[in-house]
Amino acid sequence: SQTIHQWPATLVQPVGSPLSLECTVEGTSNPNLYWYRQAAGRGLQLLFYSVGIGQISSEVPQNLSASRPQDRQFILSSKKLLLSDSGFYLCAWSLSSVEQFFGPGTRLTVL
Amino acid sequence: GENVEQHPSTLSVQEGDSAVIKCTYSDSASNYFPWYKQELGKRPQLIIDIRSNVGEKKDQRIAVTLNKTAKHFSLHITETQPEDSAVYFCALQGAQKLVFGQGTRLTINP
């Protein structure tokens, strides 16, 4: 069966520091991969998605970037964090963009 | 592009009563409409979905109805229980991604 992992589970970072969040999927090949951010008490904001290795589509122009170095690995990065980057970061996968499944999430607090 | 509006944003019902959440959309090309439940501090979980070739789908106390002509779909929860308290998101299939509604915070009062 398929499993999706995210780490770390929680992270506290100072403003201006770099960020790297990792997501990996097991049990499937060539999945579509997604990064979402959820601010406290808010909805799901799609940040990036990828339909294949090296293919990244950006939904919002921010100080964040994403990379997909391997088929089942998706990385979210930032060179300098802002206070507004705080939130719950969710990775998700799907096959052909239906039935999307979410990872456990990373709770990021920027101080 | 695709857009989906979800109402209400908050909903409070007495335990045992029914709850209904409605979503409207503008893109008639969508053929897949899932609903997700997110408990506090947890990941969204798919609870039910419907495809455009059917008008209604039921799974125990949860049902979803779809009206493609009017471009709206709804989640119905009957005989609500305390564990139904959560945020619910509707979504529709867009180009290589899902488009989510803004969410409904459902509270079940004992």
Side-chain angles (χ1 to χ4, degrees):
Chain A
S1 63
Q2 300 88 0
T3 309
I4 180 169
H5 302 279
Q6 283 187 249
W7 62 89
T10 60
L11 193 58
V12 180
Q13 292 285 98
V15 169
S17 63
L19 173 74
S20 181
L21 303 181
E22 189 165 343
C23 170
T24 58
V25 180
E26 296 177 354
T28 188
S29 295
N30 196 30
N32 290 350
L33 296 172
Y34 306 85
W35 276 113
Y36 292 87
R37 179 170 62 199
Q38 190 173 33
R42 305 295 295 273
L44 299 163
Q45 180 187 28
L46 179 62
L47 301 175
F48 302 94
Y49 67 94
S50 171
V51 299
I53 296 175
Q55 300 178 57
I56 308 295
S57 296
S58 174
E59 290 289 296
V60 286
Q62 298 189 7
N63 66 322
L64 299 171
S65 62
S67 62
R68 185 170 177 174
Q70 300 180 44
D71 180 45
R72 290 170 290 178
Q73 184 185 29
F74 205 22
I75 297 173
L76 182 70
S77 303
S78 174
K79 292 182 179 178
K80 288 186 177 182
L81 284 169
L82 306 173
L83 285 174
S84 57
D85 290 323
S86 292
F88 192 38
Y89 287 80
L90 290 155
C91 181
W93 72 273
S94 74
L95 294 176
S96 67
S97 77
V98 296
E99 296 181 331
Q100 201 168 112
F101 300 98
F102 288 87
T106 294
R107 193 162 303 280
L108 171 67
T109 303
V110 182
L111 301 175
Chain B
E2 309 92 347
N3 185 50
V4 58
E5 294 289 329
Q6 183 172 345
H7 297 281
S9 57
T10 61
L11 180 60
S12 182
V13 302
Q14 288 298 119
E15 183 178 350
D17 288 350
S18 296
V20 181
I21 303 169
K22 183 176 179 179
C23 289
T24 59
Y25 62 98
S26 54
D27 181 13
S28 61
S30 299
N31 292 313
Y32 174 70
F33 306 87
W35 285 88
Y36 286 80
K37 175 184 179 182
Q38 186 179 27
E39 296 178 353
L40 188 63
K42 304 239 179 119
R43 74 184 90 181
Q45 300 264 25
L46 177 67
I47 56 171
I48 195 169
D49 55 21
I50 191 167
R51 297 177 191 268
S52 60
N53 57 340
V54 298
E56 182 174 359
K57 183 177 179 180
K58 191 173 181 179
D59 182 5
Q60 299 182 9
R61 297 186 296 107
I62 294 173
V64 56
T65 58
L66 172 64
N67 185 326
K68 285 214 75 178
T69 302
K71 297 183 183 178
H72 65 74
F73 56 111
S74 300
L75 178 71
H76 306 253
I77 306 174
T78 58
E79 301 173 13
T80 53
Q81 300 171 4
E83 55 264 35
D84 295 329
S85 293
V87 177
Y88 292 81
F89 293 96
C90 66
L92 55 81
Q93 181 185 17
Q96 299 176 329
K97 61 186 179 182
L98 292 179
V99 179
F100 284 88
Q102 298 86 348
T104 296
R105 182 173 300 279
L106 174 63
T107 302
I108 308 301
N109 301 311

